[in-house]
Amino acid sequence: MKSPSNIMRQSSLTKLGSMINTAVNKRTGNGDIQWCFSQVKGTLEDDVTEADIISCVEFNHDGDLLATGDKGGRVVIFQRDPISKNSIPRRGEYNVYSTFQSHEPEFDYLKSLEIEEKINKIRWLKRKNPAHFLLSTNDKTIKLWKVSERDKRVEGYNTKEENGTIRDPACITALRVPTIKPMELMVEASPRRIFANAHTYHINSISVNSDQETYLSADDLRINLWHLEITDQSFNIVDIKPTNMEELTEVITAAEFHPAECNVLVYSSSKGTIRLCDMRSAALCDQHSKLFEEPEDPTNRSFFSEIISSISDVKLSNSGRYMISRDYLSVKVWDLQMETKPIECYPVHEYLRSKLCSLYENDCIFDKFECCWSGNDSAIMTGSYNNFFRVFDRTTKRDLTLEAARDIAKPKTLLKPRKVCTGGKRKKDEISVDCLDFNKKILHTAWHPSENVVAVAATNNLFLFQDKL
């Protein structure tokens, strides 16, 4: 059995690839969903470098901006096209807004350890002025970035030339009033805070508090609380590190603040449990307020049970009443008022249960799939293999499997729902479970906060789809 630290491993993440696919979703009479391709930017490349693989995707709070991070340490921000936003019906088309290098590779000389530049998470702060702010993190260092626009320049300085060189005071014979003139729009990204040296283990989560003044960062064994204005001090609020590391039985896999209550946070573990903590009860939240855990079904008990029960992602709903957790084979919906079992459970790729042995051998069983809520909490989305991603409608209980594939790169090309066949005989539109490509996986997804626009990261490509109203 592999160690808990291996369970925490995240597969290679990374660069915002070269392409945007915008698609429009159609609902047919029977309630099924079809997708058609609308737009592509960039090129579809066969040769993908590791630095180009997308590692995180995140909409800002109004959905006008979409940020992606990659294994090369870069952050690319897309802005919604104003024409598509104001058109009727509205379209979800995004253009490149800003690109900057967020993190560089580092080396810890004390531990002889290389620190990768890959971006593990991006989180937006709510907008308070014309500038935008976001947090990005790699394994060790968190940075606060300010993204601002500049479309004016000042001319006519007295003491320096237009190129910035200082003028000889002896040559200054008159005073003049500098003038402000328009210039071509420039988007600047500048680091405003750097939060470092607080985590011994790799950071897997960051979450901005609802008070917009503090945020948390979580690694395998600890969760720290930061103030956005203080970089040299953080408070350890959760510590599950045992005195003797040989007694280590679980690690933290994800953590998130409640969307409305600034004192409440949840974190998940590799043992399949979710703990809810109230920071008002104690400075150190080692004693949880609630423990969400589903009893294991004895009939499904196997050598791989502990590994596949590890929760790779947990997300609280926008209303704050529910949360979803993603383990290897399923997505579960929990009511915060009921700890004993989830209220809903959606199998993502149950057909892989018979393939767990081979998935263990090729390390795919340790892949960390994310999940996300729709803006009104009525639907859930998560990824799978073969560039498949699943959408579950909580109201109608319908589920849909779609593929983010390059063969849709023609305008108005319809995306047909995909089905996986487990038996010997398969139908025309089905794909055999033995033909799935496990190197193509949808690990990172995001849903627009108010519209049915979704972003899906497929290796180095970013697909955007829209539900046509």
Side-chain angles (χ1 to χ4, degrees):
M1 181 67 69
K2 299 196 176 184
S3 66
S5 60
N6 283 337
I7 296 179
M8 283 304 300
R9 244 180 3 194
Q10 291 187 345
S11 59
S12 312
L13 303 171
T14 82
K15 168 182 174 177
L16 169 108
S18 44
M19 144 180 144
I20 300 180
N21 289 340
T22 301
V24 177
N25 172 315
K26 291 183 178 178
R27 291 189 181 274
T28 57
N30 60 5
D32 292 336
I33 301 175
Q34 289 183 320
W35 304 81
C36 68
F37 175 81
S38 174
Q39 179 191 18
V40 62
K41 288 182 178 288
T43 58
L44 294 173
E45 301 173 353
D46 292 322
D47 296 330
V48 180
T49 63
E50 191 176 5
D52 289 338
I53 304 173
I54 298 176
S55 57
C56 53
V57 182
E58 188 77 9
F59 281 101
N60 72 339
H61 290 83
D62 60 10
D64 281 349
L65 296 180
L66 171 64
T68 63
D70 62 37
K71 188 173 173 58
R74 291 157 294 198
V75 172
V76 180
I77 301 175
F78 294 93
Q79 184 181 48
R80 190 166 188 176
D81 182 68
I83 297 177
S84 74
K85 181 180 179 181
N86 298 322
S87 65
I88 300 176
R90 292 163 63 118
R91 305 191 308 273
E93 299 176 3
Y94 287 74
N95 301 319
V96 175
Y97 180 66
S98 177
T99 304
F100 59 92
Q101 188 73 30
S102 176
H103 287 72
E104 300 283 355
E106 301 176 35
F107 189 81
D108 188 334
Y109 292 96
L110 293 177
K111 298 181 179 179
S112 296
L113 182 67
E114 290 185 1
I115 301 174
E116 291 183 304
E117 65 271 31
K118 76 174 187 294
I119 309 299
N120 290 344
K121 296 289 180 181
I122 291 176
R123 292 292 181 263
W124 291 90
L125 276 66
K126 289 185 178 179
R127 195 175 185 183
K128 297 181 179 178
N129 56 49
H132 299 272
F133 290 85
L134 61 85
L135 289 168
S136 64
T137 183
N138 66 352
D139 288 340
K140 297 292 183 180
T141 304
I142 306 160
K143 295 184 179 181
L144 174 65
W145 291 89
K146 177 183 179 181
V147 181
S148 56
E149 296 181 352
R150 187 154 61 93
D151 59 359
K152 295 179 177 63
R153 69 177 187 273
V154 179
E155 292 184 352
Y157 288 105
N158 290 280
T159 59
K160 61 181 180 180
E161 304 290 350
E162 299 305 330
N163 60 6
T165 59
I166 302 298
R167 298 177 61 189
D168 183 358
C171 299
I172 302 176
T173 59
L175 293 178
R176 53 181 175 174
V177 178
T179 58
I180 299 177
K181 294 187 177 181
M183 59 175 285
E184 185 178 352
L185 178 65
M186 179 183 299
V187 180
E188 298 176 322
S190 56
R192 304 309 300 267
R193 304 279 189 278
I194 297 178
F195 308 88
N197 305 318
H199 285 276
T200 305
Y201 309 98
H202 292 175
I203 299 172
N204 57 54
S205 301
I206 53 176
S207 177
V208 181
N209 202 343
S210 59
D211 61 16
Q212 294 294 301
E213 294 183 356
T214 57
Y215 74 93
L216 66 77
S217 59
D219 63 24
D220 292 4
L221 299 178
R222 296 188 178 98
I223 300 176
N224 292 335
L225 179 68
W226 300 83
H227 194 284
L228 286 165
E229 299 295 329
I230 302 173
T231 61
D232 60 352
Q233 186 180 25
S234 64
F235 297 93
N236 179 225
I237 53 176
V238 174
D239 187 351
I240 66 170
K241 182 180 179 182
T243 305
N244 183 0
M245 285 295 284
E246 293 182 358
E247 299 174 358
L248 179 66
T249 59
E250 64 179 332
V251 292
I252 298 170
T253 57
E256 187 178 53
F257 268 122
H258 191 279
E261 299 178 22
C262 63
N263 54 286
V264 175
L265 63 100
V266 297
Y267 69 92
S268 57
S269 82
S270 58
K271 292 184 71 173
T273 62
I274 305 172
R275 293 174 173 84
L276 183 144
C277 300
D278 190 335
M279 293 191 295
R280 295 174 301 182
S281 60
L284 190 63
C285 300
D286 285 348
Q287 299 298 321
H288 53 268
S289 300
K290 292 184 177 182
L291 176 65
F292 300 87
E293 184 177 16
E294 183 179 25
E296 183 182 4
D297 185 355
T299 59
N300 288 332
R301 179 68 185 174
S302 71
F303 172 78
F304 306 105
S305 295
E306 182 180 347
I307 301 176
I308 63 175
S309 66
S310 174
I311 296 175
S312 57
D313 195 19
V314 60
K315 293 283 176 60
L316 286 153
S317 65
N318 298 289
S319 66
R321 173 66 187 272
Y322 306 99
M323 64 180 172
I324 50 175
S325 63
R326 172 67 204 267
D327 55 42
Y328 190 69
L329 294 178
S330 65
V331 175
K332 297 172 183 176
V333 180
W334 301 81
D335 188 329
L336 293 187
Q337 307 300 320
M338 186 171 72
E339 307 168 52
T340 53
K341 63 179 181 179
I343 58 174
E344 301 164 26
C345 183
Y346 301 98
V348 177
H349 38 218
E350 185 65 26
Y351 46 79
L352 294 181
R353 189 176 291 274
S354 62
K355 304 287 184 180
L356 293 179
C357 186
S358 59
L359 292 168
Y360 177 83
E361 292 175 353
N362 63 18
D363 280 353
C364 285
I365 200 171
F366 299 104
D367 286 335
K368 304 302 176 186
F369 292 95
E370 296 177 3
C371 53
C372 61
W373 289 94
S374 64
N376 59 3
D377 299 339
S378 65
I380 301 164
M381 180 173 61
T382 190
S384 182
Y385 293 104
N386 207 68
N387 278 356
F388 289 169
F389 61 98
R390 306 292 311 279
V391 179
F392 303 97
D393 190 318
R394 298 182 59 216
T395 304
T396 64
K397 303 303 179 184
R398 293 181 179 273
D399 62 270
L400 183 69
T401 301
L402 296 174
E403 182 180 7
R406 63 177 57 195
D407 57 6
I408 67 169
K410 288 184 179 180
K412 300 181 181 179
T413 301
L414 290 177
L415 242 80
K416 296 181 179 179
R418 304 303 303 269
K419 293 184 179 180
V420 178
C421 170
T422 56
K425 188 176 181 181
R426 64 184 180 90
K427 297 180 181 179
K428 179 180 178 182
D429 295 331
E430 292 182 339
I431 181 173
S432 171
V433 66
D434 297 320
C435 298
L436 296 176
D437 188 344
F438 293 101
N439 292 318
K440 296 180 179 179
K441 57 194 79 172
I442 304 295
L443 298 175
H444 314 288
T445 58
W447 203 304
H448 191 285
S450 59
E451 300 180 31
N452 283 337
V453 177
V454 299
V456 176
T459 315
N460 69 319
N461 297 323
L462 180 67
F463 292 81
L464 294 176
F465 301 97
Q466 177 181 346
D467 179 11
K468 186 176 181 179
L469 301 177

